[in-house]
Amino acid sequence: MNEKQKLYIDELAESQGVAFSMAVEQGFDLCSFANMFMLSDARNHMDNGSAYWMTMTPDIMIDKLSMNSVDKATMNYSKTMAEWLGEFYARYQYYTNIPSSKIVKII
């Protein structure tokens, strides 16, 4: 992987982690949000390298997602845990090249 690719995935992983953290902060269930996000068209575009989605700020990303199917939290998850999970999913998808929709079913 060249430096340019590494910067791209670092930026995406950080943004996705913050988006997961923001979802928890807004009272959404972490598992429900992660499932919705990994199966979303937005994440599919990221899997395919869409610069539009890969460079989007987390707050705009959350605003563009349909949160209607995401459950409200019944447990408290830390923002740190949510951020780590979001970053993990982004990096795992990038390094394995497995579509996010399949990763969420495996994990």
Side-chain angles (χ1 to χ4, degrees), residues 1-18 38 43 46-51 53-56 61 83 86-98 100 103:
M1 168 175 30
N2 65 39
E3 278 303 305
K4 191 173 182 181
Q5 289 173 314
K6 183 163 179 7
L7 289 174
Y8 235 164
I9 189 57
D10 287 346
E11 178 74 23
L12 174 63
E14 183 176 334
S15 292
Q16 187 167 305
V18 171
M38 298 298 282
R43 186 58 231 190
M46 291 175 209
D47 288 358
N48 293 317
S50 167
W53 280 97
M54 292 182 76
T55 58
M56 191 173 289
M61 188 185 300
E83 191 166 339
E87 288 186 21
F88 170 80
Y89 273 143
R91 291 182 192 284
Y92 190 82
Q93 189 287 318
Y94 182 79
Y95 289 116
T96 63
N97 203 29
I98 299 171
S100 295
I103 290 172

Side-chain angles (χ1 to χ4, degrees), residues 27-89:
F28 292 102
D29 180 72
L30 178 59
C31 294
S32 180
F33 176 78
N35 192 50
M36 178 280 300
F37 183 77
M38 298 298 282
L39 294 171
S40 72
D41 287 339
R43 186 58 231 190
N44 184 51
H45 290 301
M46 291 175 209
D47 288 358
N48 293 317
S50 167
Y52 174 77
W53 280 97
M54 292 182 76
T55 58
M56 191 173 289
T57 60
D59 55 331
I60 294 173
M61 188 185 300
I62 291 271
D63 287 344
K64 291 193 175 284
L65 294 169
S66 174
M67 302 294 275
N68 297 336
S69 66
V70 181
D71 298 331
K72 288 293 186 178
T74 56
M75 304 179 50
N76 290 331
Y77 293 99
S78 74
K79 288 174 32 180
T80 303
M81 176 193 275
E83 191 166 339
W84 180 89
L85 184 65
E87 288 186 21
F88 170 80
Y89 273 143

